[in-house]
Amino acid sequence: MKKFMNTADNFLKESLQGFGAAHKDIVNCYYDPNFITRASPTKDGKVALISGGGSGHEPMHGGLVGHGMLDAACPGYVFSSPTPDQMLAAAEKVDSGAGVIFIVKNYSGDVMNFEMAAEMMSGPNASVLTNDDVAVEDSSFTTGRRGVAATVVVEKIVGSLAEAGGSLEECKKLGDKVNKNSGSMGVALTSCSVPAAGKPNFEIGDDEMEFGVGIHGEPGRRRDKIKSAQEVTSELLEAINEDLKPEKNEEILLFVNGMGGTPLTELYLIFDNAKNVLDKKNIKISRSLVGNYCTSLEMQGVSITLTKLDEELVKHWDSSVLTAAMRWGM
Amino acid sequence: MKKFMNTADNFLKESLQGFGAAHKDIVNCYYDPNFITRASPTKDGKVALISGGGSGHEPMHGGLVGHGMLDAACPGYVFSSPTPDQMLAAAEKVDSGAGVIFIVKNYSGDVMNFEMAAEMMSGPNASVLTNDDVAVEDSSFTTGRRGVAATVVVEKIVGSLAEAGGSLEECKKLGDKVNKNSGSMGVALTSCSVPAAGKPNFEIGDDEMEFGVGIHGEPGRRRDKIKSAQEVTSELLEAINEDLKPEKNEEILLFVNGMGGTPLTELYLIFDNAKNVLDKKNIKISRSLVGNYCTSLEMQGVSITLTKLDEELVKHWDSSVLTAAMRWGM
Amino acid sequence: MSSNFFIQKAKEIQIVIDANAPEIEKLDQEIGDGDHIFNVQRGIKLVIELESTIKDLTASKALSQIAMKVLSGIGGSSGALFGTLFMTMAKGNGIDEGIDYKKAIEIFAQGVEAVKQRGKADVGEKTMMDVLIPVSNCLKKGVEENKNKNEILSEAIDIAEKGMLSTKDLLATKGRASFLGERAKGHIDPGARSSQLMIKTVCESVLNS
Amino acid sequence: MSSNFFIQKAKEIQIVIDANAPEIEKLDQEIGDGDHIFNVQRGIKLVIELESTIKDLTASKALSQIAMKVLSGIGGSSGALFGTLFMTMAKGNGIDEGIDYKKAIEIFAQGVEAVKQRGKADVGEKTMMDVLIPVSNCLKKGVEENKNKNEILSEAIDIAEKGMLSTKDLLATKGRASFLGERAKGHIDPGARSSQLMIKTVCESVLNS
Ligand SMILES: Nc1ncnc2c1ncn2[C@@H]1O[C@H](COP(=O)(O)OP(=O)(O)O)[C@@H](O)[C@H]1O
Ligand SMILES: Nc1ncnc2c1ncn2[C@@H]1O[C@H](COP(=O)(O)OP(=O)(O)O)[C@@H](O)[C@H]1O
Ligand SMILES: [Mg+2]
Ligand SMILES: [Mg+2]
Ligand SMILES: [Mg+2]
Ligand SMILES: [Mg+2]
């Protein structure tokens, strides 16, 4: 494991401090319990969006706090979901009376901790659960699918509606809709190391890739020999399309997400290869996002997310946003 | 070497195509010769900024084309400077009559190729040469120092002046000033692989780091055992400060730059550790930038750049910018 | 049972967990995300640090503080689940009037029931419930059948081990390992292993006292 | 010398460069950025692809097309330098009236002079100039001293090798290796090696013809 760090114990704290200092115009960081809010208070009557999850997926979620997106984020330890006291403290700070939407990725740890926070809260609240990872079979008898990169899309779009005055119910409904309209799948070339562990989460051969990998380096569908970018991209899209079933001429958002250690050049190359596939299927790339947004520490890997768009979603995708990691229109 | 790619020959082309498709609202990509321009033409009378260099440093320079920064970028093959025909074709497209500023990193290949383009050009032009890497000893008998991450700062600030109507001469002067006010130094934990080579540019032990590394993986000042992030940061800043000699209470831009494979969390941690050092020296972090901007393929590494600021520089740093990789105010 | 008892047991658990840390770490790397051991170790450490804070508190207050530490200090699935266990135990009826082994078993069983509701997992889903539920049932049954304390505890130790081992060949349907489908088979569940070790440590310690 | 001659030599050079590619690659990895071999190989390939385009052109036009390919196809330091070499040679006086070995030497020397000005490097700075300048001087001197062609070419081959080897112990003051200071010592310059191989190939080929 090679990392810029001092001690595993201080890794998260120092990183948060640096984040807070570098973006003090956008965010405030609080410690013990750890949470991040916008630098300026939530305006009265605006539904507050709170997300959170284990650390190691930066810029998600702290980098997505700001105008037009989250009101607060609760970072857990690396790959460990945050705890109810963090969410309660964050909610206390940002709830302006209109209620709180929790955006939760579907992992039992995240679900249970957010659930406990919701139960302990006095004010009105609702949760949007993301489960866009088509690598995992969906079933009502199991935990179901993992929430991965589409969470970023949910946060952008619900954030926009909340900013525009949407009610708690409307925000919850829109969040569920975006999630339902999205499918993702990832592939990893290298592993990642939790600072406290000091060694890779999984072993992977020099000629191997993990197809369908999770954002904590959880095993995916299968271990394959490395294939060409075009083959990998085609297979990812096939799996997503099988699930999402976009229509011909349907407009979509194509989101090529790096897992932390993937250079932009390769992400754009994947974007190009994905466009080849989608063009052939007459699926229209109407919006795009390329970058390392929902990461797994220093993992070299990529995920593709498709979100089926309609007028409402496009409007909220395009609206102004000002966070550390996503910014346009202001 | 693990990369998402098809063939080494198509690596650059496909990546450029993806870049162009993902950001068609911001840029146009041209091929044979390869160059990138803004999607909308340079307005009449505005000095045109053109930069370029070997590929593998993305988002620099293509990701910095757009309002408030570059008018065009010329990407060479990976780690090979671009060629005069690219610069001439780009200049032809973006020169609106007010002349062209070439922003060139100080490598003999870049210098000579841009020089030849400048000689072949008919219109007025000037060059700003960046050489901010303090890892290398400066000397008039040699090639001098390398141009590294401060190039991003030069492009932002000169881009702003050009947008505001600065003349060719004023732009050139300001570019030189920003370069002189900046110092950078980097350190690498891992190597990087040129696609055509298929193997790492240099070997580095599991417990080693390259201190003072160049952005092509060129050896730096020395090979060290890995140290703590705080020690590394302190040593980088010491080297920079020795050269730049910022005054007490001087205002600076602190730019923590990742080399492509470094997750944001670690960059923010370095920012925090750098702040510790600068606070003690009473050097004031007045502006900040954190992210992978001037990269070396998939290298895990970081560089720190300090730029001494004055009112003029702050004004041009803060002004609106809309590129694929840097965007604020619009 | 007093706050001193809780801290003593935490210290004994710490020794056992630390000794088995590499194995537990590996289990969560194989079918989870590798953090379980760090979550558990952090939790135990935080509980032990409560020693002076809780030393003069009633059992309910002490347990309640422990529960809050576990809930806020661990994170992940195990933080929510162990937190729920202790929060429920802290609310046990009449525990401030003294906790004998029967009372302990009663509130433990209430805690496990709450954990089961929180996680919505039952026996056979390849989680810590494959340890907690059988142990809880065995303890309750022992008391009902008026077995003696040592007999009950010995049985619980065996049942915990069996439950833990049983997770090896199961398909996971709850928790992170459920994402793996068939690939999770052949690996013991990390939470089952850590729970079993904790139960074993406490039972053996009480057996020998 | 006709466009056919240029293409034939390029093909011979391609074989030699390809055979020595791993070594050249390593040299630029050690004291540069590792791209030199790919730059050179790309350039040679592009020149050879010109075969049908230039086959009926005059020497000056053929060389000029080759020069543009080299300049626009290689990139990096070597692209600018080799491009300058050929651009200058293409402008050589009277080359369309025929190029004998004396004319060839004359325009080569002019080319090397232009390269020297472009790169601002002289002998002793650990670059390809440590090959090009001595070879150019040796060729010119041979002609001045009226040595026979084969003698001149044999000498040039030796001088090129000596120049290339001399770069090993030099400190670099130009090019990318100059950033390394003392650490560049002990390594042969990649551009010197590739230039030497090209010169050797052409000289030997002409020698044996
Ligand atoms: N729904 C659930 N019910 C009961 N136990 C669960 C559930 N989900 C997970 N677990 C237990 O939690 C353990 C993992 O804990 P930990 O690694 O700390 O959290 P996470 O899975 O969030 O990373 C699993 O091994 C399993 O025993
Ligand atoms: N200023 C210069 N003058 C002469 N030769 C130079 C100069 N700079 C570099 N070179 C030569 O160029 C070679 C490197 O070429 P190449 O790797 O293709 O370009 P780059 O250095 O830009 O990566 C060096 O080995 C050296 O021989
Ligand atoms: Mg976890
Ligand atoms: Mg190069
Ligand atoms: Mg875990
Ligand atoms: Mg080179």
Side-chain angles (χ1 to χ4, degrees):
Chain A
M1 180 189 70
K2 284 185 148 183
K3 276 189 208 298
F4 293 109
M5 57 184 273
N6 294 297
T7 62
D9 279 351
N10 285 335
F11 184 75
L12 181 58
K13 175 116 191 268
E14 292 175 26
S15 179
L16 273 178
Q17 284 169 183
F19 176 72
H23 299 291
K24 56 175 183 290
D25 48 330
I26 303 177
V27 296
N28 281 339
C29 290
Y30 297 85
Y31 306 92
D32 294 314
N34 297 340
F35 63 98
I36 300 161
T37 67
R38 299 188 188 182
S40 43
T42 308
K43 43 179 197 210
D44 272 356
K46 184 188 119 31
V47 168
L49 259 64
I50 301 182
S51 190
S55 290
H57 308 302
E58 291 66 25
M60 194 178 79
H61 299 276
L64 304 175
V65 170
H67 180 89
M69 272 182 106
L70 300 177
D71 292 273
C74 304
Y77 290 98
V78 173
F79 289 178
S80 289
S81 77
T83 53
D85 53 317
Q86 294 174 262
M87 299 144 199
L88 291 171
E92 168 121 12
K93 258 287 181 290
V94 301
D95 187 354
S96 75
V100 171
I101 291 271
F102 292 114
I103 298 177
V104 185
K105 299 188 294 301
N106 188 34
Y107 299 94
S108 53
D110 295 69
V111 170
M112 291 189 282
N113 280 287
F114 272 100
E115 231 171 56
M116 293 178 81
E119 288 165 15
M120 294 172 185
M121 251 186 85
S122 46
N125 64 81
S127 294
V128 173
L129 200 66
T130 62
N131 65 346
D132 51 308
D133 190 347
V134 305
V136 176
E137 221 190 314
D138 204 3
S139 146
S140 52
F141 301 109
T142 69
T143 307
R145 311 197 311 197
R146 301 177 286 223
V148 289
T151 313
V152 174
V153 184
V154 170
E155 292 175 3
K156 170 69 186 78
I157 289 178
V158 180
S160 166
L161 176 61
E163 211 70 60
S167 70
L168 191 62
E169 222 176 34
E170 289 164 340
C171 287
K172 153 83 178 148
K173 216 177 122 205
L174 185 63
D176 288 342
K177 173 176 160 185
V178 177
N179 177 60
K180 223 182 112 239
N181 275 4
S182 302
S184 303
M185 186 142 134
V187 55
L189 299 180
T190 64
S191 186
C192 56
S193 302
V194 173
K199 59 174 191 293
N201 243 13
F202 59 95
E203 294 297 329
I204 184 161
D206 277 347
D207 58 347
E208 289 181 330
M209 58 181 210
E210 181 70 29
F211 191 74
V213 73
I215 59 171
H216 309 86
E218 306 104 319
R221 286 195 176 179
R222 56 176 192 269
R223 183 65 59 96
D224 275 353
K225 292 287 160 202
I226 286 189
K227 296 180 183 165
S228 73
Q230 183 63 68
E231 284 172 291
V232 170
T233 307
S234 302
E235 288 179 23
L236 291 176
L237 283 172
E238 203 169 301
I240 296 167
N241 285 338
E242 213 162 275
D243 181 86
L244 205 59
K245 302 199 181 19
E247 310 277 324
K248 261 196 183 182
N249 295 315
E250 179 137 24
E251 306 222 331
I252 55 113
L253 161 73
L254 171 58
F255 173 17
V256 176
N257 174 59
M259 301 237 177
T262 320
L264 276 180
T265 343
E266 295 175 42
L267 299 182
Y268 285 121
L269 189 147
I270 300 268
F271 190 94
D272 170 70
N273 289 189
K275 188 170 179 300
N276 292 340
V277 176
L278 296 172
D279 282 354
K280 259 188 222 128
K281 289 197 192 296
N282 280 309
I283 298 167
K284 198 172 160 244
I285 305 171
S286 139
R287 293 294 183 276
S288 58
L289 184 67
V290 181
N292 288 282
Y293 288 99
C294 169
T295 64
S296 306
L297 297 166
E298 73 281 18
M299 186 187 278
Q300 267 182 275
V302 69
S303 69
I304 296 182
T305 298
L306 297 191
T307 302
K308 299 196 276 189
L309 298 174
D310 59 17
E311 233 176 274
E312 182 186 25
L313 266 48
V314 166
K315 183 182 85 190
H316 289 302
W317 178 259
D318 287 347
S319 66
S320 299
V321 59
L322 198 171
T323 68
M326 263 171 104
R327 183 166 182 171
W328 55 73
M330 61 197 300
Chain B
M1 179 188 71
K2 284 185 150 184
K3 276 189 208 299
F4 294 108
M5 59 185 270
N6 295 298
T7 63
D9 278 351
N10 286 334
F11 184 75
L12 182 59
K13 175 112 191 272
E14 293 175 24
S15 179
L16 273 177
Q17 284 170 185
F19 176 72
H23 300 291
K24 58 177 182 291
D25 48 329
I26 303 177
V27 296
N28 281 339
C29 290
Y30 297 84
Y31 305 93
D32 294 313
N34 297 339
F35 63 98
I36 300 161
T37 67
R38 300 187 188 183
S40 45
T42 308
K43 46 177 195 212
D44 272 355
K46 184 187 119 30
V47 168
L49 259 64
I50 301 181
S51 191
S55 291
H57 308 303
E58 291 68 23
M60 194 178 79
H61 299 275
L64 305 174
V65 170
H67 181 90
M69 273 181 107
L70 300 178
D71 292 273
C74 304
Y77 290 97
V78 173
F79 288 0
S80 287
S81 77
T83 52
D85 53 317
Q86 294 175 263
M87 299 143 199
L88 290 171
E92 169 122 9
K93 256 291 183 286
V94 302
D95 188 355
S96 75
V100 172
I101 290 272
F102 292 114
I103 299 177
V104 184
K105 301 189 292 301
N106 187 34
Y107 299 94
S108 53
D110 295 69
V111 169
M112 291 188 283
N113 280 286
F114 272 100
E115 232 170 54
M116 292 178 81
E119 288 166 16
M120 293 173 187
M121 251 186 85
S122 47
N125 64 80
S127 295
V128 173
L129 200 67
T130 61
N131 66 347
D132 51 306
D133 190 347
V134 304
V136 176
E137 220 189 315
D138 204 1
S139 147
S140 51
F141 301 110
T142 69
T143 308
R145 310 196 312 197
R146 301 178 286 224
V148 290
T151 313
V152 174
V153 183
V154 170
E155 292 175 2
K156 171 68 187 80
I157 289 177
V158 180
S160 165
L161 176 60
E163 212 69 61
S167 70
L168 191 64
E169 219 176 37
E170 287 164 343
C171 287
K172 153 82 179 148
K173 215 176 123 204
L174 185 63
D176 288 342
K177 173 176 160 185
V178 176
N179 177 60
K180 222 182 111 238
N181 274 4
S182 301
S184 303
M185 187 141 133
V187 56
L189 299 180
T190 63
S191 187
C192 56
S193 303
V194 174
K199 57 174 194 291
N201 244 11
F202 60 94
E203 293 298 328
I204 185 161
D206 277 348
D207 58 346
E208 288 181 331
M209 59 181 209
E210 181 70 30
F211 190 74
V213 74
I215 59 171
H216 310 87
E218 307 103 318
R221 285 196 177 177
R222 57 176 191 269
R223 185 62 62 92
D224 274 354
K225 292 285 161 204
I226 286 188
K227 296 180 184 166
S228 73
Q230 183 64 68
E231 283 171 291
V232 170
T233 307
S234 302
E235 288 180 23
L236 291 177
L237 283 172
E238 203 169 300
I240 297 167
N241 285 337
E242 214 161 89
D243 181 86
L244 205 60
K245 303 199 178 22
E247 310 277 324
K248 261 198 184 182
N249 295 316
E250 179 137 25
E251 306 222 333
I252 54 111
L253 161 73
L254 171 57
F255 173 16
V256 176
N257 174 59
M259 302 237 176
T262 321
L264 276 179
T265 343
E266 293 175 42
L267 299 182
Y268 285 121
L269 188 147
I270 299 269
F271 189 96
D272 171 70
N273 289 190
K275 187 170 181 298
N276 292 340
V277 176
L278 295 172
D279 282 354
K280 259 189 221 127
K281 290 197 192 294
N282 280 309
I283 297 167
K284 200 174 158 244
I285 305 173
S286 141
R287 293 294 182 277
S288 57
L289 184 67
V290 182
N292 288 282
Y293 288 99
C294 168
T295 64
S296 306
L297 297 167
E298 73 281 19
M299 186 187 277
Q300 266 183 276
V302 70
S303 69
I304 297 182
T305 298
L306 297 191
T307 301
K308 299 197 276 189
L309 297 174
D310 60 17
E311 234 175 272
E312 183 186 24
L313 267 47
V314 166
K315 182 181 84 190
H316 289 300
W317 178 259
D318 287 347
S319 66
S320 299
V321 59
L322 197 171
T323 68
M326 264 172 101
R327 184 165 180 169
W328 55 74
M330 60 196 299
Chain C
M1 266 181 224
S2 64
S3 66
N4 183 45
F5 175 86
F6 304 137
I7 297 294
Q8 281 322 307
K9 294 311 121 188
K11 286 181 179 172
E12 290 164 27
I13 285 174
Q14 186 175 49
I15 292 167
V16 175
I17 290 291
D18 285 353
N20 291 277
E23 182 202 331
I24 300 172
E25 183 183 347
K26 194 154 163 276
L27 294 177
D28 199 36
Q29 283 180 341
E30 280 165 349
I31 59 168
D33 57 353
D35 61 344
H36 185 61
I37 183 63
F38 307 113
N39 291 342
V40 168
Q41 284 180 320
R42 189 171 51 241
I44 296 170
K45 187 167 157 271
L46 288 170
V47 168
I48 293 174
E49 282 169 8
L50 281 177
E51 178 157 17
S52 64
T53 318
I54 64 171
K55 87 170 174 304
D56 299 321
L57 298 185
T58 58
S60 64
K61 284 196 175 138
L63 268 178
S64 171
Q65 291 236 13
I66 288 173
M68 287 319 293
K69 264 294 172 233
V70 166
L71 186 64
S72 68
I74 294 190
S77 304
S78 53
L81 297 166
F82 291 139
T84 299
L85 181 73
F86 286 104
M87 272 171 52
T88 311
M89 285 168 65
K91 288 187 208 131
N93 254 343
I95 58 173
D96 286 340
E97 278 95 74
I99 311 179
D100 61 2
Y101 81 94
K102 287 189 186 168
K103 190 82 206 166
I105 287 172
E106 182 193 323
I107 62 170
F108 176 73
Q110 287 163 358
V112 170
E113 187 52 36
V115 172
K116 188 174 158 187
Q117 278 166 30
R118 172 64 57 206
K120 301 187 187 68
D122 211 327
V123 169
E125 308 210 59
K126 199 180 185 101
T127 70
M128 60 172 71
M129 300 323 288
D130 290 311
V131 172
L132 295 182
I133 293 175
V135 166
S136 166
N137 288 342
C138 148
L139 291 169
K140 279 191 297 188
K141 193 156 159 263
V143 172
E144 273 164 32
E145 293 175 359
N146 262 319
K147 294 193 182 154
N148 79 43
K149 182 178 111 182
N150 281 1
E151 203 182 336
I152 298 178
L153 290 173
S154 304
E155 258 183 48
I157 293 172
D158 288 350
I159 292 279
E161 176 146 350
K162 267 197 208 120
M164 178 272 290
L165 290 174
S166 77
T167 63
K168 183 161 182 179
D169 295 322
L170 288 173
L171 258 177
T173 45
K174 290 281 146 60
R176 202 176 288 280
S178 69
F179 303 135
L180 267 69
E182 287 289 331
R183 284 170 78 176
K185 276 195 182 166
H187 301 278
I188 288 170
D189 176 67
R193 179 64 169 142
S194 62
S195 313
Q196 175 259 330
L197 283 170
M198 293 188 232
I199 287 167
K200 181 173 183 234
T201 307
V202 175
C203 288
E204 277 179 353
S205 164
V206 175
L207 251 180
N208 299 331
S209 69
Chain D
M1 265 177 223
S2 64
S3 64
N4 182 46
F5 175 86
F6 305 138
I7 299 293
Q8 283 320 311
K9 294 313 119 185
K11 287 180 177 171
E12 290 165 27
I13 286 174
Q14 186 175 49
I15 293 167
V16 175
I17 290 291
D18 285 354
N20 291 277
E23 182 202 331
I24 300 173
E25 184 182 348
K26 194 155 165 274
L27 294 177
D28 198 36
Q29 284 181 341
E30 280 165 349
I31 60 168
D33 57 354
D35 61 345
H36 184 61
I37 183 63
F38 308 113
N39 291 342
V40 168
Q41 285 180 320
R42 190 170 49 240
I44 297 170
K45 186 167 157 272
L46 289 170
V47 168
I48 293 174
E49 283 170 7
L50 281 177
E51 179 157 17
S52 62
T53 318
I54 64 171
K55 87 170 172 305
D56 299 321
L57 298 185
T58 58
S60 63
K61 285 198 174 134
L63 269 177
S64 174
Q65 290 235 18
I66 289 174
M68 286 320 293
K69 262 297 170 231
V70 165
L71 186 64
S72 68
I74 295 191
S77 304
S78 52
L81 296 167
F82 291 138
T84 299
L85 181 71
F86 286 104
M87 272 170 53
T88 310
M89 284 167 67
K91 288 186 209 131
N93 253 340
I95 57 173
D96 286 339
E97 280 94 73
I99 311 179
D100 61 1
Y101 81 94
K102 286 190 186 168
K103 189 81 206 170
I105 287 173
E106 182 192 322
I107 63 170
F108 177 74
Q110 285 164 0
V112 170
E113 186 53 38
V115 172
K116 188 174 158 186
Q117 276 168 30
R118 173 63 59 206
K120 300 189 187 70
D122 211 326
V123 169
E125 307 209 61
K126 200 181 185 104
T127 70
M128 60 172 73
M129 301 322 287
D130 290 311
V131 171
L132 296 182
I133 293 175
V135 165
S136 166
N137 288 342
C138 148
L139 291 169
K140 280 191 297 186
K141 195 155 156 266
V143 173
E144 274 163 30
E145 293 177 359
N146 261 316
K147 293 193 185 156
N148 79 44
K149 185 179 110 182
N150 281 0
E151 202 182 336
I152 298 178
L153 292 173
S154 305
E155 259 182 51
I157 293 172
D158 287 351
I159 291 279
E161 176 145 352
K162 269 199 206 118
M164 177 272 290
L165 291 174
S166 78
T167 63
K168 183 161 183 179
D169 294 323
L170 288 172
L171 259 176
T173 45
K174 288 283 146 58
R176 204 177 285 282
S178 69
F179 303 136
L180 268 70
E182 288 289 330
R183 285 169 78 175
K185 277 193 182 169
H187 300 278
I188 288 170
D189 175 66
R193 178 64 168 142
S194 62
S195 313
Q196 176 260 329
L197 284 170
M198 292 187 234
I199 287 167
K200 182 171 181 236
T201 308
V202 175
C203 289
E204 277 179 353
S205 164
V206 175
L207 251 180
N208 298 329
S209 68

